Amino acid sequence: MKPLFIRAEWDDEARVWVATSEDVPGLATAESTLEGLVEKLKVLIPELLDANTMMPDHEVPFELLSRRFDTVQRPGC
């Protein structure tokens, strides 16, 4: 089975990582750290796949792509 693709983007206003996926119907969750998000996904992915009758009998690999935009100031500016 090919890995499920999960996208995580930083929401600067809410100060959380927001995860969504076209491979996992209904997936939309947030967490303050990427590590916490991964742990949450390990619970949610099987639950959502099972709810959509898509859960295989073996392990389900997933790939998490995170994206965060930020700025930096030069010293003395």
Side-chain angles (χ1 to χ4, degrees), residues 1-7 19-29 36-56 58-65:
M1 176 177 192
K2 71 175 190 158
L4 301 171
F5 183 72
I6 314 294
R7 171 171 275 122
T20 58
S21 176
E22 291 182 14
D23 292 342
V24 183
L27 179 64
T29 191
L37 185 62
V38 168
E39 293 307 310
K40 193 178 227 185
L41 290 170
K42 288 179 180 180
V43 173
L44 288 176
I45 290 171
E47 288 177 355
L48 289 168
L49 292 177
D50 191 44
N52 288 286
T53 62
M54 299 171 61
M55 187 64 185
H58 55 280
E59 292 180 343
V60 179
F62 68 94
E63 176 182 356
L64 179 65
L65 175 68

